[in-house]
Amino acid sequence: MLYSKIIKGDIFIDGCDRVFIPYKGWKIMGKDGKLLNDEVIKTNVGPLPSISYSPASGKWHLLYNILDKSGNKILPKGIRHITYFQDGYYLLEDNNEDELINRGDVKGGFLAKDYLEEANILFNDGHLLSQEWYNTVIPLHNGYFKTIKDGHINYVDRLGNIFPSICKNIIGFDGKTSYSCEEGFLYETDKENKVSVKKLKRFTESGEFRIGSYQIKIAGNNFSEMNEFLSNIGNGYLLVDDLSSETGRVNLISKDGYLIFNDWYDLIIRCPQNDGLFVIKENGKYKIIYMNEQCWEEKVFDNILFADNYFICSYEGYMSIFNPISKKLDVEIDFDSIMWADKIIWGMNIFYKGEIIHYWNGQGGDLIDYAHTIMISNQHNSLLIGKKGIWHLYDGKNKPIPLFWFVPNQ
């Protein structure tokens, strides 16, 4: 059998070679020479069986459906993409690209204005999040799904309940509180529709600034150009970077020209998939705050990284992993380095001795490619954590599993 990649077993804890077979993926070669499935990269397709098919006529991509326990199709029609999440649900995504192409009224394709997307969530017991499909559904790390329908954003829990909000201009949500901005006030609404209000400061600065990707020079009190630009950003906010500052300082600015934060910071990064949390850097230290600038975690750190579903925090040579929902580790671990995959394009990251090493596709050798395959397997909500060169698979729940030896080259 032809192997395109072979990793010798002397670096693996079990002593067995790993071999890559085209179109089949990574396998374990046992001591007796037999090939075994590698359980750490086994993709979890969920408890419900699925089928795929292509319509008989026209130019169509493969379509998918999911069957119930009696073998009946759950979805009323085949859809383009089904992704299983180990938290107990399927993300369903579809579009009308094939229908537009087969309609044939536009030579070579279709008009962008006619293109539509729809999405939903199907749980393990076969029920949908909503009978009405959304344009977009984004699973969040705070126990909710972010849904977008005709430009309107809602946050929906697993029971289909919409998080209360008295204002439609939601700009953030942390799982307990929604944030909205109107006429110079930041509104905070909890589950009981109890509202607290924070008065915001209007932007009155002069100098050179970058607002989003737009660079502008403001002299005196002439904000007309800035206000015209902000009026087109929708209901959100943008990062504003003071380019005139020698040390650099940043804030968030609303569409009507108010600063979301009281303070300017050295760095602001929104937490991926949690719209109400931010990592900020101030006086050389990092911390995690809510949109109202209250602390999510009281400690300050030398560095904070986003690694898949986790905050990776380091302080004076020690490292901690925080779960965005529980704020705590599910198991106690001791480690000095960490490895995780980029989610959008091929990429691997290693945080080692206070520095980030990044690998693109083809870089780092076969072991990095093997580790990437582990990381993108949806069987695991996982990271690879290292201690003195030994790397373990960590899923946030179970005891870390030692896999291989590896020391990064910086």
Side-chain angles (χ1 to χ4, degrees):
M1 185 175 291
L2 179 63
Y3 310 131
S4 60
K5 300 174 185 178
I6 300 176
I7 306 175
K8 292 298 183 181
D10 54 4
I11 69 169
F12 288 95
I13 301 301
D14 61 13
C16 296
D17 294 351
R18 266 49 172 188
V19 298
F20 185 84
I21 304 173
Y23 305 107
K24 293 185 178 180
W26 288 101
K27 302 288 183 180
I28 296 176
M29 180 174 285
K31 300 292 179 61
D32 57 1
K34 292 182 179 180
L35 295 179
L36 306 171
N37 289 328
D38 194 336
E39 294 301 318
V40 299
I41 57 177
K42 181 180 179 181
T43 299
N44 189 343
V45 296
L48 300 174
S50 62
I51 59 171
S52 62
Y53 60 92
S54 181
S57 60
K59 298 178 180 178
W60 296 85
H61 292 86
L62 276 176
L63 300 179
Y64 300 89
N65 210 316
I66 298 179
L67 307 180
D68 61 20
K69 295 180 179 179
S70 301
N72 301 313
K73 295 178 182 178
I74 294 178
L75 306 179
K77 64 172 184 174
I79 62 173
R80 289 287 302 277
H81 303 287
I82 298 175
T83 306
Y84 185 68
F85 286 72
Q86 67 174 13
D87 294 327
Y89 57 84
Y90 302 80
L91 174 61
L92 313 175
E93 298 173 294
D94 197 21
N95 61 54
N96 65 340
E97 178 183 3
D98 289 343
E99 287 84 352
L100 294 176
I101 291 175
N102 284 286
R103 193 170 70 184
D105 57 336
V106 178
K107 185 177 180 180
F110 53 87
L111 298 176
K113 68 179 181 64
D114 295 331
Y115 178 76
L116 299 173
E117 292 182 334
E118 58 180 5
N120 211 330
I121 296 292
L122 179 74
F123 294 98
N124 284 355
D125 62 3
H127 86 273
L128 291 168
L129 178 66
S130 171
Q131 293 304 310
E132 178 185 10
W133 286 57
Y134 309 98
N135 301 127
T136 305
V137 177
I138 303 171
L140 300 181
H141 294 161
N142 53 30
Y144 281 78
F145 300 97
K146 181 177 181 178
T147 65
I148 304 174
K149 178 72 172 179
D150 299 329
H152 185 63
I153 297 173
N154 277 317
Y155 296 89
V156 184
D157 67 16
R158 294 174 69 100
L159 299 177
N161 300 314
I162 298 175
F163 190 88
S165 175
I166 64 169
C167 179
K168 295 183 179 179
N169 300 320
I170 297 176
I171 60 174
F173 176 68
D174 57 35
K176 295 181 179 179
T177 303
S178 67
Y179 302 91
S180 55
C181 185
E182 276 191 278
E183 299 179 349
F185 292 91
L186 181 70
Y187 293 84
E188 305 170 30
T189 308
D190 64 15
K191 288 184 177 180
E192 283 72 41
N193 267 323
K194 293 181 181 178
V195 179
S196 57
V197 179
K198 168 187 169 184
K199 185 173 176 56
L200 303 177
K201 295 187 295 186
R202 181 174 284 279
F203 181 90
T204 57
E205 309 280 339
S206 297
E208 192 169 358
F209 298 87
R210 181 183 296 111
I211 302 175
S213 59
Y214 181 70
Q215 194 162 324
I216 183 174
K217 194 167 187 177
I218 301 174
N221 294 318
N222 185 7
F223 301 104
S224 57
E225 183 182 351
M226 182 193 75
N227 291 335
E228 182 180 357
F229 169 73
L230 289 173
S231 66
N232 296 315
I233 71 170
N235 292 328
Y237 57 84
L238 291 175
L239 185 75
V240 53
D241 187 353
D242 184 358
L243 302 178
S244 302
S245 171
E246 293 183 1
T247 58
R249 59 182 192 141
V250 294
N251 207 322
L252 304 178
I253 189 168
S254 68
K255 66 172 297 180
D256 49 357
Y258 288 89
L259 296 173
I260 303 298
F261 293 148
N262 291 332
D263 297 320
W264 290 72
Y265 298 106
D266 303 326
L267 179 71
I268 298 173
I269 306 174
R270 185 179 66 82
C271 173
Q273 296 187 319
N274 195 324
D275 294 342
L277 287 181
F278 297 82
V279 167
I280 60 99
K281 182 181 180 182
E282 186 178 31
N283 300 322
K285 297 295 183 180
Y286 293 77
K287 62 181 178 180
I288 305 167
I289 63 173
Y290 294 104
M291 184 166 275
N292 60 12
E293 288 184 277
Q294 294 180 3
C295 290
W296 181 85
E297 166 59 43
E298 293 294 336
K299 294 180 182 177
V300 296
F301 301 93
D302 295 328
N303 204 345
I304 298 177
L305 303 169
F306 300 118
D308 198 4
N309 294 349
Y310 305 98
F311 292 116
I312 308 302
C313 304
S314 63
Y315 180 71
E316 295 184 351
Y318 295 94
M319 299 178 70
S320 302
I321 298 177
F322 286 90
N323 183 307
I325 297 178
S326 67
K327 297 188 183 182
K328 301 294 182 182
L329 291 173
D330 294 306
V331 294
E332 293 298 325
I333 55 175
D334 181 24
F335 64 105
D336 56 30
S337 46
I338 187 166
M339 190 183 308
W340 72 96
D342 295 334
K343 288 301 181 184
I344 305 301
I345 57 176
W346 203 108
M348 283 291 287
N349 306 276
I350 299 178
F351 187 63
Y352 177 67
K353 293 185 177 180
E355 301 291 336
I356 296 180
I357 307 168
H358 186 273
Y359 300 99
W360 295 111
N361 193 3
Q363 297 178 333
D366 292 343
L367 184 63
I368 294 297
D369 180 77
Y370 171 78
H372 182 267
T373 306
I374 296 174
M375 294 293 90
I376 63 173
S377 167
N378 65 14
Q379 180 184 17
H380 302 290
N381 185 16
S382 57
L383 303 168
L384 287 171
I385 56 176
K387 179 66 175 179
K388 296 181 179 179
I390 301 179
W391 290 83
H392 303 69
L393 180 64
Y394 170 73
D395 66 3
K397 298 178 181 179
N398 302 298
K399 184 177 180 180
I401 303 171
L403 295 179
F404 54 78
W405 285 273
F406 174 68
V407 177
N409 294 319
Q410 290 181 290

